[in-house]
């Protein structure tokens, strides 16, 4: 699979394809608490410009990964929240792994010392993907969000860099 996938920095021109993949994730009910995709402007404001990646196959975006700041407070400037989404029909082909590996490398080049991700416990594939890339489970947030009439938990995972933030 690696030979047919090209990883690149996400551009604003990619938004429509990125948005469609995000909507596919939303439709599963196990990818995010979001119910709709934001506008490009909202998404652009909420994600770190230097930490956005897309995976392309035959010129089309088949997956994306990005970081969001977890806080506006300066003490948390090296901590980012991970998002990784792959087109449903491309799932299980290693694209998520390529994207997460690339995002981790890119995040460290941009001074991030810790990455975190909150994942629904039902999303076993995403939890396995993160653990494969050095994330560890640090807790479970019980009943953290109310979605479709049901309280949902998330598993909190984090990855500490062995290159950035080391004293």
């Amino acid at each position: 699979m690696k030979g047919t996938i090209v990883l690149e920095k996400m551009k604003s021109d990619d938004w429509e394809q990125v948005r469609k993949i995000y909507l596919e994730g939303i439709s599963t009910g196990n990818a995010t608490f979001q119910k709709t995709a934001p506008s490009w402007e909202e998404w652009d404001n909420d994600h770190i410009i230097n930490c956005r990646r897309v995976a392309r196959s035959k010129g089309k975006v088949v997956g994306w990964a990005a970081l969001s700041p977890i806080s506006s407070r300066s003490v948390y400037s090296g901590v980012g929240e991970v998002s990784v989404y792959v087109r449903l029909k491309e799932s299980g082909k290693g694209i998520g792994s390529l994207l997460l590996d690339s995002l981790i490398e890119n995040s460290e080049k941009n001074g991030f010392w810790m990455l975190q991700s909150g994942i629904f416990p039902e999303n076993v594939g995403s939890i396995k993907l993160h653990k494969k890339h050095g994330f560890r489970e640090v807790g479970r947030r019980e009943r953290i969000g109310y979605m479709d009439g049901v309280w949902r938990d998330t598993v909190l995972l984090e990855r500490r860099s062995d290159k950035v933030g080391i004293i």
Side-chain angles (χ1 to χ4, degrees), residues 154-166:
T154 59
V155 175
L156 181 61
L157 296 112
E158 71 175 32
R159 181 188 186 279
R160 304 277 176 141
S161 173
D162 60 2
K163 298 175 184 153
V164 179
I166 305 299

Side-chain angles (χ1 to χ4, degrees), residues 12 23 35 40 48 52 59 74 88 130 139 142 150-151 155:
S12 60
L23 287 169
K35 301 304 273 176
W40 163 250
I48 298 160
R52 304 172 183 180
S74 63
L88 291 177
H130 283 73
E142 296 178 353
V150 178
W151 283 102
V155 175

Side-chain angles (χ1 to χ4, degrees), residues 25 36 51 66-67 72 87-88 93-94 115 136 152 154 163:
T36 60
C51 295
L67 287 185
S72 60
R87 188 174 300 279
L88 291 177
K93 296 180 179 178
L115 302 179
R136 66 184 179 94
R152 299 287 301 267
T154 59
K163 298 175 184 153

